[in-house]
Amino acid sequence: MKTFTAVLYREEDMYVAECPEVGTVSQGETVEEAVANLKEATELYLAEFPLEEGRKPIITTFEVAGSAGA
């Protein structure tokens, strides 16, 4: 069993969930549904494209100036 990250954001009437370690994305009407759908999408992806052993992504944050994205 491996643990992955789910990044969620609201888009109109849906929640979008992304897994940055794998690159999978899904959505749902609730946070729980979006995460469940992301889990299923990630499991299906990993069944076809297994991760390399020892591979760990670097996840960080950054800032942008001005009103970008506002």
Side-chain angles (χ1 to χ4, degrees):
M1 192 64 81
K2 293 186 180 190
T3 301
F4 293 97
T5 305
V7 178
L8 290 101
Y9 56 94
R10 184 112 173 126
E11 189 171 283
E12 295 181 17
D13 61 343
M14 301 292 281
Y15 287 93
V16 177
E18 299 180 44
C19 176
E21 293 94 342
V22 180
T24 49
V25 178
S26 194
Q27 63 184 19
E29 292 183 6
T30 65
V31 169
E32 294 78 14
E33 182 181 19
V35 172
N37 291 341
L38 179 63
K39 179 181 176 182
E40 180 180 6
T42 302
E43 288 172 341
L44 290 170
Y45 178 86
L46 291 174
E48 188 70 28
F49 305 102
L51 291 180
E52 298 172 19
E53 288 298 317
R55 177 182 163 206
K56 292 194 176 213
I58 298 171
I59 299 175
T60 187
T61 61
F62 62 94
E63 296 179 2
V64 294
S67 62

